Amino acid sequence: MQLSKDLVAASATPIVLGVLSRGEDYGYSLLRRIARASDGQLEWSEGMLYPLLHRLEEQSLVASHWGASPEGRRRKYYAITDAGSRELAGHVSQWRLVIATLDALLPPGGSPAATSSGLRG
Amino acid sequence: MPAPRTDPRAADLAGSLAQWRRLMAERPGMSPDDVDELSDHLESEIADLQALGLAPDEAFLIAVKRIGAQDEVSREYARVHSERLWRQLVLTDADAGSSPDPSSGRAVSTPGTAARRPDAASSGLALALILGLAAGLAVRLPHAILGDAAGTAFYPHNLGFLVLPLIGYFLVRHWRAAPDDARGIDRIGGAAGVTLLVAVFAATAILVNIFPTHPSGQTFWLTAIHLPIALVVATGVAYLGPRWRLLGAWMDWVRFLGESVLYYILIALGGGALSALVMAIFRAIGVSPTAVEHVLGWVIPVGAGAAVLVCAWLVERKKSVIENMAPVLTAVFTPLMTAALLAFLAVLAVTGSPVTVDRNVLIIFDAVLIAVAAIVLFTVSGPQPAAGRPGPGLDAVRPHPGSDRGRPRDALGDGRAAGRVGRLPQQARRPRMQHPAAGPPVRIGLVLRTDLPGPDAERRRLLSRAAALAVRDPAALRGVGAGRGHRLPAPFRLVLTRS
């Protein structure tokens, strides 16, 4: 499923915050968890995750610290902050509103399959 | 780094990683921490892909593709950390604590240490400042020694000799600090090449100064106009090194000169404004104007000479900053220049016959034509959006300096060439988190070594086809990487270049 550029940009923040709401994580693992959650349908240009994380960190929605990977590489871990949790809750309620509105507007048994699977990610 | 590896392909992988890191670190807006973070991602992904059964080079290729083109990723970083661009204009984080001495700061690029940004940048600045001071003094001292009258006769012929050798020295020295090249001055033919260059300069200087001319004579001014061009060409050899036989390489030199001129204009404007301000302040507090003028009489020429070297350093170091401005400036000035010339011709046609034109006018016109030629050359040499432009200093990793401008071809498999480099296609159909603006692309090349001896000629031809396809179509690349029996083993080597 290919999401439009705007939709990717709009959904990236809640998705990343959503992953982090289950506990701190590092970039690569974060992307893997997103891919698993979307059945591999949601793909990003992976390098773009990090500038996004840095932006969220600047906005104090996430906090980061350096650790080490099992192989001994430097690895940066990100965790959600309280402000991030509040932001996530706001995003989620907005998305739920959009999905609920779409569901209510579309005819039952129509062909919203593609749309809803795209939004599920 | 994991435990020592013996597999040569794994060693290749470490080298490719180090090269990727180095290219990434050179991008504006990237801090060493960012590069560490990205390479952790890259290595994690490579490890996962290898666990799936891919060869190290295949895994690297796919992981690099998934992480995204370097210019796009770094641009996104730069947007988040816009303040870094300004800081990096002068000194980068990685440079801050490094050694100012190029000879001690230079490290053989082993995987791992080469990942850190080389010290060349800051050492280059120190070198440029020292040489700049020397150039400034070289410019000012003859005036102090000869006095005003002799100075006017001396400078038009000798200004080039005072500054250009120092630029040449800076460029040659700069290479020695460059990580890609361990051969140092061998690039211009070793000691013999250097001697030849010095001899050319010395012989010209003697010839020009011995030849009897008078400051009011036409020969004098013709020499003054054309001598710098010849000297600049000679300095270009120091810049280009072994590439001096390639026409395309000379365009690099033209671009270097053009961007230096632009930088110089900016610095001169700033310097002029500063000098005027300083004079006004000192006058306001009652310092005698002659004293101020005496001091500025030293500061301004020395600064003007030093600025040339600083410009050379800036261009070498920070091309990308002015690169975006240069096309705009040329686009503005080319029509203006054309209009000015047409106006001149019109006036000439109206006021008098060109046949009776004074020879001095022709000499001035000669100078105008040189300026026009310079602007045209600079415009033509500007970065073309369609063709990737290799930066100087990276030619060490490109097997064919002239052949990489074209698109990847099926000729990849013709077994004739030792290597072709193709640009990684844009991941057009993939959702992005940023807008795909045009910019200098990062190219990932599969260099095919078809010259390897072996019985597997047919298989190698098939592989080369697959590789050519993969370079054009990332989706096909996944097929190559994941499919059984379609690995990219020994005959391929991965090369990253930055345009």
Side-chain angles (χ1 to χ4, degrees):
Chain A
M1 179 68 202
Q2 304 288 340
L3 262 63
S4 79
K5 204 174 67 191
D6 292 340
L7 202 54
V8 169
S11 61
T13 300
I15 288 176
V16 168
L17 289 177
V19 177
L20 291 177
S21 69
R22 296 197 178 181
E24 73 165 19
D25 210 347
Y26 60 98
Y28 179 70
S29 157
L30 216 151
L31 279 172
R32 292 285 83 79
R33 282 165 70 183
I34 294 172
R36 263 204 306 279
S38 70
D39 269 347
Q41 299 200 57
L42 205 66
E43 282 189 325
W44 288 346
S45 190
E46 296 183 352
M48 298 302 169
L49 171 71
Y50 296 97
L52 172 68
L53 283 169
H54 293 188
R55 181 176 287 136
L56 294 178
E57 189 178 2
E58 255 176 24
Q59 296 166 351
S60 303
L61 302 179
V62 303
S64 74
H65 69 92
W66 282 95
S69 75
E71 295 85 22
R73 288 190 299 270
R74 292 182 78 208
R75 179 169 280 175
K76 200 174 183 184
Y77 291 91
Y78 295 87
I80 195 166
T81 62
D82 291 344
S85 300
R86 282 195 298 277
E87 179 84 8
L88 175 63
H91 273 284
V92 168
S93 56
Q94 288 176 39
W95 280 97
R96 288 203 199 290
L97 176 63
V98 171
I99 294 167
T101 310
L102 264 178
D103 280 345
L105 286 175
L106 292 174
S111 56
T115 314
S116 62
S117 77
L119 289 175
R120 204 177 50 216
Chain B
M1 282 278 129
R5 298 163 176 177
T6 46
D7 183 0
R9 274 197 272 160
D12 268 2
L13 175 64
S16 304
L17 270 169
Q19 201 177 27
W20 186 89
R21 284 183 58 113
R22 190 171 50 71
L23 290 173
M24 203 70 198
E26 281 175 5
R27 296 266 166 189
M30 300 296 299
S31 78
D33 277 351
D34 298 339
V35 179
D36 275 353
E37 191 174 21
L38 282 172
S39 31
D40 174 43
H41 179 109
L42 205 57
E43 292 191 40
S44 303
E45 182 136 36
I46 289 171
D48 274 7
L49 289 169
Q50 281 187 263
L52 290 174
L54 297 198
D57 43 1
E58 300 166 2
F60 175 78
L61 191 57
I62 291 176
V64 161
K65 193 190 79 69
R66 283 194 185 160
I67 215 166
Q70 283 190 326
D71 59 327
E72 289 171 6
V73 173
S74 66
R75 199 179 303 127
E76 196 61 25
Y77 270 95
R79 268 165 51 167
V80 175
H81 304 285
S82 52
E83 80 286 351
R84 285 192 195 153
L85 288 179
W86 296 104
R87 201 169 61 220
Q88 288 190 345
L89 180 61
V90 176
L91 270 184
T92 58
D93 294 342
D95 301 332
S98 60
S99 152
D101 179 9
S103 53
S104 72
R106 180 175 156 231
V108 182
S109 45
T110 52
T113 57
R116 286 279 158 204
R117 188 193 290 246
D119 302 82
S122 59
S123 65
L125 177 60
L127 183 66
L129 287 176
I130 294 167
L131 288 176
L133 192 66
L137 289 175
V139 167
R140 183 60 177 83
L141 284 176
H143 182 264
I145 296 165
L146 297 170
D148 280 342
T152 14
F154 177 80
Y155 280 112
H157 276 184
N158 290 294
L159 204 56
F161 297 118
L162 298 175
V163 178
L164 284 174
L166 291 165
I167 291 187
Y169 177 75
F170 171 73
L171 292 171
V172 171
R173 184 69 188 257
H174 188 76
W175 275 336
R176 266 173 56 175
D180 281 340
D181 188 75
R183 289 171 296 157
I185 58 170
D186 289 345
R187 288 181 60 139
I188 50 171
V194 173
T195 315
L196 186 66
L197 265 182
V198 171
V200 165
F201 267 84
T204 323
I206 293 169
L207 193 69
V208 162
N209 284 300
I210 284 182
F211 194 82
T213 54
H214 193 267
S216 63
Q218 287 161 346
T219 315
F220 181 86
W221 288 109
L222 279 174
T223 313
I225 291 171
H226 293 95
L227 179 66
I229 299 176
L231 292 181
V232 160
V233 169
T235 316
V237 175
Y239 177 74
L240 295 173
R243 303 197 301 147
W244 70 273
R245 290 179 199 85
L246 303 169
L247 189 63
W250 281 98
M251 281 314 209
D252 278 347
W253 179 232
V254 169
R255 198 176 299 115
F256 180 94
L257 291 173
E259 289 177 6
S260 303
V261 168
L262 291 178
Y263 269 122
Y264 195 85
I265 291 172
L266 288 178
I267 293 178
L269 283 175
L274 201 65
S275 313
L277 210 63
V278 167
M279 274 184 88
I281 290 173
F282 278 105
R283 264 185 205 155
I285 60 169
V287 177
S288 122
T290 47
V292 175
E293 271 163 25
H294 186 73
V295 173
L296 284 181
W298 275 88
V299 170
I300 291 176
V302 170
V308 177
L309 268 295
V310 173
C311 285
W313 174 79
L314 276 172
V315 176
E316 265 301 82
R317 191 66 210 137
K318 297 289 165 194
K319 302 181 180 61
S320 54
V321 177
I322 205 98
E323 203 169 60
N324 304 321
M325 231 169 78
V328 179
L329 287 177
T330 49
V332 169
F333 278 105
T334 313
L336 285 180
M337 193 77 189
T338 315
L341 286 179
L342 287 176
F344 177 79
L345 282 178
V347 168
L348 198 71
V350 170
T351 55
S353 156
V355 181
T356 60
V357 164
D358 185 4
R359 192 154 176 253
N360 287 327
V361 176
L362 287 180
I363 291 178
I364 292 170
F365 216 78
D366 185 38
V368 171
L369 284 181
I370 289 170
V372 171
I375 288 181
V376 168
L377 268 179
F378 184 53
T379 313
V380 171
S381 75
Q384 307 289 328
R389 182 175 67 76
L394 276 180
D395 48 335
V397 297
R398 286 181 296 115
H400 272 234
S403 70
D404 59 348
R405 284 164 191 270
R407 301 187 57 79
R409 287 173 291 182
D410 281 328
L412 232 162
D414 68 6
R416 182 168 41 86
R420 291 267 196 273
V421 179
R423 191 187 311 169
L424 181 72
Q426 300 285 319
Q427 305 165 21
R429 287 159 302 164
R430 224 171 163 191
R432 300 269 180 76
M433 305 199 321
Q434 50 88 240
H435 62 91
V442 169
R443 286 167 301 168
I444 293 180
L446 281 166
V447 174
L448 178 63
R449 287 159 57 198
T450 42
D451 52 341
L452 288 179
D456 247 344
E458 181 58 31
R459 182 164 156 272
R460 206 167 286 140
R461 196 154 57 237
L462 281 174
L463 275 172
S464 65
R465 294 256 173 225
L469 207 77
V471 168
R472 263 176 309 188
D473 181 5
L477 189 68
R478 291 203 164 177
V480 171
R484 287 289 153 100
H486 289 288
R487 298 195 159 189
L488 305 177
F492 294 92
R493 202 161 58 79
L494 210 62
V495 170
L496 283 169
T497 57
R498 200 189 82 183
S499 347

